[in-house]
Amino acid sequence: MRFVPRILLVLTLAASQTAFGHAVVTHNSLKLKPVPVNQASQVELSFNSKVELDLSEVFLVSAGDVMKPVAASPGAKPGQVLLDLPALAPGEYAIKLKIFAADGHLSEDLLRFFVKEPK
Ligand SMILES: [Cu+2]
């Protein structure tokens, strides 16, 4: 039992290094505002830290794992990034992120979303 506190300390340190210093998506507009059908649109992402957009890569992933680069520009607030999506047919898509935080750490994320015909 004497070793348990030390293991917990190591786990806590590892977890905090993951939580701080890396760019993590804290908000994305996909949940609130669905991507419209056959119409160019913009997706808003917020990160927990400043992002180096020049070093980051964003892709739109379509059926069959087809990847297309997506233009990303800084938003008005710190850590905010705007993505320009092309007009999309109904279907399942994902946004693949390779984001460099201001501290130079790379983090990857995949945001899945659907484009649905309005009812
Ligand atoms: Cu980091």
Side-chain angles (χ1 to χ4, degrees), residues 25-77:
V25 179
T26 55
H27 166 82
N28 80 67
S29 65
L30 291 167
K31 287 169 191 163
L32 300 169
K33 205 179 72 177
V35 174
V37 178
N38 299 326
Q39 190 187 318
S41 64
Q42 207 166 46
V43 172
E44 180 203 314
L45 304 176
S46 295
F47 293 88
N48 64 338
S49 82
K50 273 196 191 169
V51 162
E52 299 290 346
L53 275 184
D54 292 346
L55 302 172
S56 303
E57 288 182 297
V58 183
F59 298 95
L60 174 72
V61 188
S62 311
D65 274 344
V66 178
M67 301 219 298
K68 276 187 205 161
V70 167
S73 54
K77 298 175 210 156

